[in-house]
Amino acid sequence: MRRRSLPLHTLMAGALAIALAAALGITLTARTAWAATVVVQAESYAAQSGVGVEATADTDGGQNVAYLADGDWMRFDDVDLGAAGPLTASARVASATGGPGTVELRTGSQTGPLLATFPISPTGGWQTWATRTATVTAHPTGPQTLFAVMRGTTPGDFVNINWFSFDNGTGSGGGTAPGWVAIDQAAWNTQLAQFRAMTPAPVPADTVRVPEFNATCAYSHSKPDDPIVVPGLPGASHMHSFFGNRSTDAFTTTQSLLAHTGTSCTPAEDLSAYWIPTLYEGGRAVESDGVIVYYGSRLPDPSATVPFPQGFRMIAGNAKSQVPTPAGSANQFFCAGEGGETGRSADGNWPVCAPEAKLVHQLLFPDCWDGKHLDSPDHKSHVAFARDGKCGGDHPVAIPSVSFVIGYPTSGSSAGFSLSSGMASSVHGDFFNAWDNAALGQRVKNCIAQSAKCNSAGTF
């Protein structure tokens, strides 16, 4: 029998509440005040019928609700829809069949006033996620009881859901508000026009034909801050090791990065901020002896790649993941240098390197963008990894494929290591773009679009 009763989960209404809970490891039960965006995790229902919960492969990890068919429903209590005015509703969904069917959001009861409808079409699989958006033309204000009701025209499951969000449109200013941060369309159009008008430099005959350039960055400083996940709240995060812009702290914005020209990266035109959880060995922080930030393309045709808009930000990895990483695990730490890996730590989660080798990790970011937002409530939904060598669907814009190659001056031992975020599986990285537009655009034009390997100076 597919249907089963599941335990009650606490509703976390509000993007800031969710960010704080993730950062501090707590559960919030009180209703939060209206912010720019309210996010409701689908598994946080107060009551349900016909709903299952499973681990999700979506970018933020955690759980999603699954096995949803016609007539199934979830109830969420005390969802604050804010004051009167424009409101956008979004749903993070996955479907192998597409139904046909819809997800209805109603207030008060399963048959109450209709708030929004999301038609469900195939996304490519039960764990292939897409964000659907609908405009709410009229909505009740303040705290509401919200029902998500499944409507299908054929028997069987037709959709999985990760989360719902409600955006009143105020999250687009300042670069620090949580939620969907809309791009300044006029500024982006200007940047894009300037990029299109750039003349590519001729590529020398002996150039390696790989679409790539990089920034080489030294360690800058450490703080328990995260201006993407918990902006404006110093000390609210686990410890991070920062690279690039030396001013980065909890109060960082696009404007503050551009105004502060001190950077630990080469070239100097890259004023971006990069950060990772701090690594510990025997309780002592081990800072990286260098991070190379590669900008490239994994697409068969990289010529459509465009530069990042200023203020663009995203996160790779999952700080909440706490699972073993035995030898052969995907995305694990490894040993680089003579002798390579010689063994594993006692818990099996970390490599032990030969004396002439050192600990390394490579972190890969998504390379497709929705073209509309500088950020999203989970800092991942506005981007996605290319599928079948293409960007499309909700994320049609090809952006440079960013990866951090992080080296540590240690070989490790049987005692292993830990991260400020926990186990090795919790490794993650943050990118807050503040490149000079011309410098970034010329590198994308010369190096990526022409499939030509460039150095930190942007030359062949």
Side-chain angles (χ1 to χ4, degrees):
M1 185 72 178
R2 181 175 67 83
R3 300 180 188 274
R4 52 195 182 276
S5 178
L6 295 165
L8 178 67
H9 293 261
T10 302
L11 173 65
M12 295 168 62
L16 184 56
I18 290 172
L20 279 171
L24 302 178
I26 59 177
T27 299
L28 303 181
T29 55
R31 186 177 73 247
T32 60
W34 175 261
T37 300
V38 170
V39 178
V40 179
Q41 301 293 344
E43 74 273 16
S44 299
Y45 47 75
Q48 58 84 21
S49 175
V51 175
V53 175
E54 64 183 5
T56 185
D58 200 9
T59 50
D60 62 342
Q63 296 179 309
N64 63 262
V65 297
Y67 315 107
L68 300 175
D70 178 54
D72 293 345
W73 57 267
M74 295 173 285
R75 191 189 84 216
F76 304 93
D77 294 339
D78 249 7
V79 179
D80 194 341
L81 298 182
L87 186 67
T88 299
S90 298
R92 187 72 169 164
V93 300
S95 177
T97 66
T102 60
V103 178
E104 298 177 348
L105 294 184
R106 295 181 177 272
T107 55
S109 72
Q110 298 171 48
T111 58
L114 182 65
L115 200 64
T117 300
F118 305 101
I120 302 302
S121 57
T123 63
W126 295 115
Q127 288 295 325
T128 302
W129 295 90
T131 303
R132 306 300 187 209
T133 301
T135 299
V136 179
T137 55
H139 69 277
T141 60
Q144 299 291 326
T145 299
L146 180 71
F147 282 80
V149 183
M150 313 306 133
R151 302 295 187 197
T153 59
T154 58
D157 307 331
F158 70 90
V159 66
N160 290 350
I161 304 174
N162 195 353
W163 49 256
F164 301 102
S165 72
F166 300 92
D167 186 359
N168 67 2
T170 63
S172 60
T176 60
W180 291 99
V181 181
I183 193 170
D184 181 331
Q185 196 62 54
W188 173 236
N189 288 343
T190 299
Q191 181 184 347
L192 205 55
Q194 292 170 344
F195 169 71
R196 303 287 191 207
M198 290 177 176
T199 301
V203 180
D206 60 348
T207 300
V208 176
R209 302 312 293 245
V210 174
E212 177 188 294
F213 64 92
N214 68 71
T216 57
C217 304
Y219 165 73
S220 174
H221 61 282
S222 297
K223 283 180 178 289
D225 293 355
D226 192 323
I228 291 179
V229 176
V230 280
L233 294 172
S237 174
H238 49 254
M239 189 64 71
H240 281 114
S241 298
F242 290 88
F243 302 81
N245 201 300
R246 297 187 186 277
S247 71
T248 312
D249 61 16
F251 300 100
T252 288
T253 65
T254 306
Q255 291 72 28
S256 72
L257 292 175
L258 295 173
H260 189 93
T261 57
T263 177
S264 69
C265 292
T266 300
E269 296 95 334
D270 180 13
L271 299 178
S272 303
Y274 310 97
W275 59 97
I276 55 178
T278 300
L279 181 78
Y280 292 91
E281 184 174 12
R284 178 182 63 87
V286 179
E287 301 298 354
S288 172
D289 57 359
V291 172
I292 303 177
V293 182
Y294 287 99
Y295 292 79
S297 176
R298 298 178 296 111
L299 305 180
D301 179 10
S303 63
T305 306
V306 299
F308 297 105
Q310 283 185 342
F312 179 91
R313 63 214 78 162
M314 61 179 169
I315 295 177
N318 181 8
K320 295 182 289 185
S321 177
Q322 306 292 333
V323 298
T325 49
S329 299
N331 203 31
Q332 68 175 230
F333 286 77
F334 62 95
C335 299
E338 184 179 349
E341 181 177 321
T342 61
R344 303 291 293 181
S345 59
D347 62 10
N349 295 326
W350 300 87
V352 177
C353 305
E356 299 303 317
K358 67 178 185 179
L359 187 71
V360 175
H361 187 79
Q362 182 171 13
L363 195 63
L364 183 64
F365 288 75
D367 52 353
C368 299
W369 174 43
D370 69 4
K372 301 175 182 177
H373 300 97
L374 299 175
D375 200 1
S376 52
D378 61 357
H379 317 294
K380 297 180 178 182
S381 293
H382 60 308
V383 291
F385 287 99
R387 298 182 66 243
D388 301 321
K390 297 179 181 179
C391 294
D394 292 336
H395 303 90
V397 182
I399 51 177
S401 175
V402 173
S403 66
F404 296 176
V405 178
I406 312 157
Y408 295 93
T410 177
S411 298
S413 68
S414 61
F417 303 90
S418 65
L419 293 170
S420 58
S421 52
M423 297 174 68
S425 60
S426 71
V427 65
H428 57 284
D430 298 57
F431 166 50
F432 198 136
N433 176 53
W435 272 86
D436 173 80
N437 280 344
L440 178 61
Q442 200 65 63
R443 284 167 170 79
V444 173
K445 179 75 71 169
N446 291 346
C447 313
I448 294 181
Q450 297 190 111
S451 293
K453 185 177 178 66
C454 296
N455 54 29
S456 298
T459 57
F460 304 115

